[in-house]
Amino acid sequence: LFRAMGNTLFIVICSVIIIVVVGAMAAYPLSRHATRKNKWILTVVVGVMMVPQLSVLVPLYKEMVALGGINKFWGIIIVSATFHLPLAIYMYTNFIGTVPRELDDAALIDGCSRLQVFFRIILPSLKATTTSIIILTGVGIWNDYQFQLYFLQKPALRTITLAITTFFTDTKQDMGAAAAAAFIVVLPPVIMYIVLQKYFVKGAMDSAVK
């Protein structure tokens, strides 16, 4: 069970890092350059959020088989990050629009490049949004079952949701062990929320005002 928790934690951390960095970098030009093309791209990104995961599972599985991503952590990390990126891009795009452009201009005048402006000015200004994205996407990946069931088939690579299913077989059902495991599984997301609660609430309130 603890090995499964370690596997899940590794997948969540790597996926969330990709989601935060790529999502914020993708949202920056979409927010700062509100052209018709960028608005169309943002609309497509929002539309991707409405696509059910099961509807693309078969072609996605075939593609991952061709790439050699089955029973590999990098395969499930890429898949998990990809399906949670639209939410991050959408949230970051809205919040970056609230950051004054004058900060960008001042940093450019001082000699910063666009990349330095992003990492030194924009990203630190989005702590509340980043916290909200970490909690929402992290919990979603932590509780994922569909993708992990098909892409992680080796027992040594089981995640926490797959490990709990082993308590239920055709011959027996260990409800006590399953309940204890479920309680242990719930603890990390709860602790994460308690630690980041202040920033999460602020991000949610800012989103409501926006």
Side-chain angles (χ1 to χ4, degrees):
L1 185 62
F2 286 102
R3 173 186 287 183
M5 289 187 66
N7 293 340
T8 308
L9 189 61
F10 176 74
I11 294 171
V12 170
I13 291 175
C14 293
S15 300
V16 168
I17 290 174
I18 295 174
I19 291 168
V20 169
V21 176
V22 176
M25 293 184 70
Y28 182 49
L30 292 176
S31 178
R32 282 295 187 253
H33 304 284
T35 62
R36 180 178 298 179
K37 179 181 179 180
N38 284 348
K39 291 181 179 179
W40 181 83
I41 293 175
L42 185 59
T43 302
V44 173
V45 169
V46 174
V48 171
M49 296 170 58
M50 304 177 187
V51 178
Q53 296 181 354
L54 285 177
S55 65
V56 295
L57 182 59
V58 174
L60 183 60
Y61 184 84
K62 292 178 63 177
E63 186 66 26
M64 293 306 295
V65 169
L67 295 175
I70 303 300
N71 290 322
K72 298 290 192 305
F73 281 131
W74 65 263
I76 189 63
I77 288 171
I78 291 176
V79 171
S80 300
T82 300
F83 271 86
H84 288 84
L85 262 178
L87 174 63
I89 294 174
Y90 177 71
M91 292 183 64
Y92 274 129
T93 301
N94 287 335
F95 281 97
I96 291 176
T98 64
V99 179
R101 292 176 179 267
E102 288 76 10
L103 293 177
D104 297 32
D105 299 335
L108 291 172
I109 292 173
D110 288 340
C112 290
S113 64
R114 278 291 178 186
L115 198 59
Q116 290 174 325
V117 171
F118 172 76
F119 282 105
R120 294 185 179 183
I121 306 297
I122 301 300
L123 196 56
S125 302
L126 302 172
K127 290 182 180 179
T129 309
T130 300
T131 302
S132 299
I133 291 173
I134 289 174
I135 292 177
L136 293 173
T137 59
V139 172
I141 297 172
W142 181 273
N143 294 328
D144 179 54
Y145 177 76
Q146 301 174 26
F147 287 144
Q148 296 171 4
L149 175 64
Y150 290 98
F151 296 140
L152 300 177
Q153 301 172 3
K154 292 183 178 179
L157 302 179
R158 283 195 185 117
T159 57
I160 198 65
T161 52
L162 299 180
I164 292 179
T165 61
T166 60
F167 293 108
F168 302 93
T169 64
D170 295 335
T171 57
K172 67 175 183 177
Q173 297 181 357
D174 195 342
M175 297 297 296
F183 176 77
I184 296 175
V185 171
V186 170
L187 288 180
V190 171
I191 294 174
M192 180 177 65
Y193 176 78
I194 292 174
V195 173
L196 303 176
Q197 180 181 10
K198 179 177 67 175
Y199 297 103
F200 179 74
V201 172
K202 185 177 184 302
M205 292 178 63
D206 291 345
S207 177
V209 173
K210 179 65 179 178

